[in-house]
Amino acid sequence: MVIGLTGNIGSGKTTVCQFLADKGCLCLNADVLGRQVSEPGGEAYAELRQDFDAEYFDEAGNLLRPKLAELVFNNAAELARLNAIIHPAVLRCLQREILAAQAEEPQRVIVVEAALLVEANYLPILDQLWLVWADDQVRLHRVMERDKVDSKQAQARMNNQLPQTEKAKYARYIVHNNKGRAELQQELEAVWQQFWQEMEQED
Ligand code: ATP
């Protein structure tokens, strides 16, 4: 069973992943893989070097992420060019890691966490999708506090994602995370129980 865990920025994905890891799930993070594939020697590195100017790499050949982020932030064409390199490489890595984990421990639940699972079309490698949902104002305040940015900067980070209502169309479960940590824990215990009940019914 491969669960995709998604949610827009500040919704609480990392917090939910920690809960699922505590339950024994193997958690794979697509953002971490995205960084790995773009390091020298990584799966997407050669293509990045080919497609982006030398100014986006330091002397040792490492990708200058903040500089590249600046380039793609307000430039849809450049962002699409970057995504066309990174996403397929991450997808291949995920597929390999999933197969290896399943061979080692077939019963273990695997969780793939990423904000862009729907946007980047990772759905075909997932058995089901969970969406962590928090209202825009709640996410805005969480991002401001966590990243020490003002509301304008936080809003800018929130703008590039598909609305939660769109993602909800693909979700088997929605984890509501508008309240405090204790409420989230309760919500997760309930969703986790429902998930296992439905797994057993399907068997
Ligand atoms: P991103 O997409 O930016 O990685 P995320 O979806 O992984 O975000 P988290 O980092 O888990 O979100 O949560 C955002 C911030 O809100 C964190 O500082 C986290 O500790 C806090 N947070 C998450 N859920 C709650 C909650 N129920 N109560 C209080 N704080 C929370």
Side-chain angles (χ1 to χ4, degrees):
M1 167 56 67
V2 184
I3 297 172
L5 181 70
T6 198
N8 282 355
I9 182 169
S11 58
K13 292 179 296 299
T14 308
T15 316
V16 173
C17 253
Q18 189 54 57
F19 171 92
L20 292 169
D22 291 345
K23 292 288 185 192
C25 301
L26 171 69
C27 295
L28 304 174
N29 184 314
D31 293 336
V32 172
L33 287 177
R35 280 194 289 275
Q36 282 172 6
V37 297
S38 44
E39 280 166 6
E43 189 145 345
Y45 184 74
E47 247 184 296
L48 286 171
R49 286 246 50 155
Q50 216 170 37
D51 269 46
F52 290 93
D53 288 346
E55 61 177 308
Y56 294 102
F57 299 86
D58 69 14
E59 280 175 11
N62 297 303
L63 187 63
L64 295 168
R65 285 171 197 290
K67 198 174 163 85
L68 191 61
E70 218 174 284
L71 171 74
V72 302
F73 194 69
N74 283 316
N75 188 327
E78 294 291 354
L79 179 62
R81 194 152 71 103
L82 178 62
N83 284 343
I85 298 173
I86 299 293
H87 290 325
V90 170
L91 203 56
R92 287 194 297 274
C93 283
L94 279 170
Q95 280 172 310
R96 277 201 306 270
E97 294 209 10
I98 289 169
L99 280 176
Q102 284 169 334
E104 198 172 308
E105 212 177 333
Q107 297 306 321
R108 192 170 184 196
V109 176
I110 300 169
V111 178
V112 175
E113 177 201 346
L116 298 177
L117 285 178
V118 176
E119 291 90 330
N121 195 23
Y122 289 2
L123 298 181
I125 66 161
L126 308 169
D127 293 311
Q128 60 176 243
L129 186 73
W130 291 24
L131 173 68
V132 188
W133 178 297
D135 293 343
D136 291 357
Q137 279 306 310
V138 174
R139 293 190 295 112
L140 184 77
H141 284 110
R142 284 194 190 140
V143 171
M144 285 168 65
E145 199 165 309
R146 184 193 60 188
D147 300 345
K148 309 285 172 242
V149 292
D150 64 25
S151 64
K152 210 172 149 199
Q153 290 166 307
Q155 191 62 56
R157 291 177 195 193
M158 288 166 65
N159 283 345
N160 280 336
Q161 300 178 320
L162 204 62
Q164 297 183 107
T165 44
E166 280 304 307
K167 294 186 178 179
K169 292 179 187 165
Y170 302 92
R172 177 76 170 263
Y173 299 102
I174 295 183
V175 177
H176 297 95
N177 186 23
N178 270 329
K179 298 185 182 156
R181 291 181 192 283
E183 286 85 353
L184 175 61
Q185 183 75 20
Q186 258 178 2
E187 167 94 3
L188 279 168
E189 291 290 357
V191 172
W192 184 243
Q193 211 176 338
Q194 198 186 345
F195 164 74
W196 276 107
Q197 269 170 10
E198 290 186 4
M199 287 270 284
E200 276 157 17
Q201 278 164 12
E202 278 170 23
D203 268 354

